[in-house]
Amino acid sequence: METSASTTTTTTATTTGLEIAIIGMSGRFPGASTIEQFWQNLQEGRESITFFTNEELERAGVDPALFDSPTYVKACGVMENVELFDAAFFGISPHEARLMDPQHRFFLECCWEALEAAGYYSQRYEGNIGVFGGVGFESYLFNYFDTNRRFNTSAEDYQIFLNHGKDFLATRVAYKFGLRGPAMTILTACSTSLVAVHVACQSLLSGESDMALAGGVAIRVPQTGYVCEEGSVISPEGHCYAFDARACGTVVGSGVGVVLLKRLEDALADHDTIYAVIKGSAVNNDGDAKAGYTAPGVEGQIRVIQAAHRMAEVSPDSISYVEAHGTGTILGDPIEVTALTQAFRNGTRRTQFCALGSLKTNIGHLDTAAGVASLIKTALALKHRLLPPSLNFETPNPRIDFAQSPFSVNTTLTPWEAGGSPLRAGVSAFGFGGTNVHVVLEEAPAAEPFGSSRSWHLLPLSARSGPALDAATANLAEHLQHHPGLNLADVAYTLQVGRRPFDHRRAVVGRSPDDALDALRSGGSQRVMTGFCPPSAGERSLVFLFPGQGAQYVRMALDLYRAEPHVRQQVDTCATLLLPHLGQDLRTLLYPPPRPDDAGMDEDGEDGEEEATRRINQTEITQPAIFVIEYALASLWMEWGVRPQAMLGHSIGEFVAACLAGVMSLEDALMLVAMRGKLMQRMPHGTMLSVALPPEEVRELLGEDLSLSAVNTPAQSVVGGPTAAIDRLEKVLTTHGVEYRRLHTSHAFHSQMMEPMLEPFAAYAQRVKFNHPGW
């Protein structure tokens, strides 16, 4: 939901109307607790596999008898801090959190983060948000609870059932976030999370969902080594050698990944940040055309890849990278490359033009989360236009003929360059049991410039507690520091409308990322405001107050007129409507052009600035000018979503409030204000005096000529009348030591001196159609 997408794409993509945009993502992977760290590790070619010492394994509860066993591998792709969970944030009690499978906990967290990454707060979003995800084996249940007891015999057993059951992964997210789209748990073994992405795309295309969360989670607890027996697809060395002659299997790993999806046309219209575009996807099953139930099938893989190409309406010749399933098995890798080659031969005879990689060489096999992890890797590669290296490849698997295939394994960090067409990639995931899925991705289309005219921006933060607010503040400061090229308007917009408001609140005002960063880090800055808004406070009521004349000046709201299109539009409209009543363009008096130094005098010998000031202080100009500026400013607030519960006005301000409330049209209000100003201008000149006395004491000093014009406060009154009478009153007040101040007005408004204009003004008012307030 950011106001501009950060993409440098220069190519023009062809669209089918069936594309899906990836607009948000979140994940926890071995060696990376954030998407940013994950991408950094990939660029550096880091193998994030942990090798344990005997002491570490023993502390984790592993039987020491396994330490010297040749079948026990002391390695794992470890996801850190699996024991941590901010239960209170999601309204979950500590007891319920203890019973909850960590897989459910982290899927919940990553769904929240994916929405935030895209700049959306689910309960403010008007459309339907679906959630599609899968979860791995319930190792937490089997290792930390007595699985021999009969369940559903007590309240705690029922809670264990709810907090571990695969059925409840997606629906819990829907319940906690208030999502009203489909909520479905999907299970197809290793292809689960990419199948979830495919089903989410179908939900978006059918209109069931307007946005969709999709992904998967697989967390083994405890995270220790594994037993590798002969014939297993798991590596006995703790390394995955995808496509290499040393291929001996994959490595067990834990992780979670979630993406937020949206129809491309909607994402572009909403100016969302787009990481990549899903052009098409397909799912099928091998059936019985393979060696065994858990074996991969060539024919099924060929069919699913070709189906995805057809769905995407792209030629395989235009695809320059494939993120393979790549488990690093001696038989599985050749089958996959064979299937890819035959699928690509449907559209090209070229060789070795398409790079090939496998994320499993970096982080191991994440089981149900593997597919979405590969999707996230490829989307990031498209966004940054870089191909990260596939690790542990030296000598090709002898069963793979890369020379005659379209593929070559990418082993270094390589710039990803377009050859006249958009960058495209394929992502595969194949599950035990034969459910295959392939997704075709394309780089994001170039974003249209969409900036902000404002020089200052408000960055609000909120959290459930004071320490959490401080942490959020530190996170924002770190983000601004590491992304100095950010458009601060984007940051402000996302923080204002894409975050859930909590009770502990802070806001910073800044001109640029560096300026906001300085304010955040300078603790006592007056540009950083902190407060607490308890739930009991509810919605704060808001009132618009419109003053009368007296504070007018040349170039009122000039900066806003120049910078804010909405203000300029309102002022221009009002000036046009006033032309027949004023006989001149009000803007020439509000915003007179600067005069050259050598031509500072007009034809009449008067300085242009002084002439504009003289004219704007004449009542017939002052009143329309005050109305126009107040109306434009109030309209701007309302355009920003700041809606008052009530409006109150004094003098000209009454007309502004009435107009905004629908009592009269803008055309009628401007006519009345212009006629009012002209009629008042014709009245005898007078003076107004602000007096520091309550109204009952002022009345005793008025005499026949003076009027009580206004009561500003219980101890502050305004008197109006002939200047000579005001002079006499001032002497009396001075004698009694009462404070007073003359107002900058040409007439004694709201006094008996205005009575001669009442009848003609009433005639103008009779032309107007008055309505009941619509506020």
Side-chain angles (χ1 to χ4, degrees), residues 685-689 719-723 726 742-743 745-748 753:
H685 286 275
T687 302
M688 302 187 78
L689 192 71
V719 175
T723 302
I726 292 291
R742 287 200 182 196
L743 305 183
T745 60
S746 58
H747 294 72
M753 295 186 73

Side-chain angles (χ1 to χ4, degrees), residues 184 279 550 618:
M184 301 169 61
K279 292 286 288 183
Q618 292 178 352

Side-chain angles (χ1 to χ4, degrees), residues 202-272:
Q202 299 305 306
S203 179
L204 289 164
L205 294 175
S206 71
E208 287 180 338
S209 300
D210 298 297
M211 290 198 299
L213 293 159
V217 56
I219 301 174
R220 296 170 65 248
V221 287
Q223 296 185 94
T224 56
Y226 53 87
V227 175
C228 177
E229 298 177 346
E230 186 175 353
S232 173
V233 296
I234 302 177
S235 170
E237 299 183 20
H239 300 285
C240 178
Y241 301 99
F243 314 114
D244 192 86
R246 296 168 292 172
C248 55
T250 190
V251 183
V252 174
S254 294
V256 54
V258 175
V259 293
L260 181 64
L261 308 175
K262 194 176 191 180
R263 288 181 290 271
L264 177 61
E265 58 186 355
D266 294 340
L268 291 173
D270 294 338
H271 299 279
D272 293 318

Side-chain angles (χ1 to χ4, degrees), residues 7 103 210 536 634 665 722:
T7 177
Q103 297 180 116
D210 298 297
S536 58
S665 68

Side-chain angles (χ1 to χ4, degrees), residues 86 89 459-478 495 499-508 520 528-533:
D86 192 352
F89 182 86
L459 311 178
L461 293 166
S462 70
R464 288 191 181 275
S465 67
L469 181 61
D470 292 338
T473 304
N475 289 341
L476 176 60
E478 183 179 0
L495 290 175
R499 296 290 184 267
R500 178 179 175 180
F502 295 109
D503 301 343
H504 294 262
R505 302 185 181 183
R506 182 168 292 151
V508 60
L520 284 169
V528 178
M529 296 144 280
T530 302
F532 178 71
C533 182

Side-chain angles (χ1 to χ4, degrees), residues 77 94 120 127 224 309 336 402 489 513 519 550 554 596 675 684 692 724 733 747 751 774:
Y120 284 97
T224 56
H309 290 169
E336 182 170 7
F402 280 116
V554 172
M675 294 304 104
L733 295 173
H747 294 72
S751 75

Side-chain angles (χ1 to χ4, degrees), residues 24-59:
M25 53 179 64
S26 176
R28 307 279 197 281
F29 306 105
S33 59
T34 65
I35 292 293
E36 290 74 18
Q37 184 60 57
F38 178 58
W39 176 243
Q40 186 65 35
N41 291 348
L42 292 176
Q43 291 183 88
E44 295 173 359
R46 185 172 299 173
E47 185 183 44
S48 301
I49 303 299
T50 300
F51 288 82
F52 303 102
T53 65
N54 290 346
E55 291 76 14
E56 289 172 330
L57 292 171
E58 189 169 5
R59 284 198 300 271

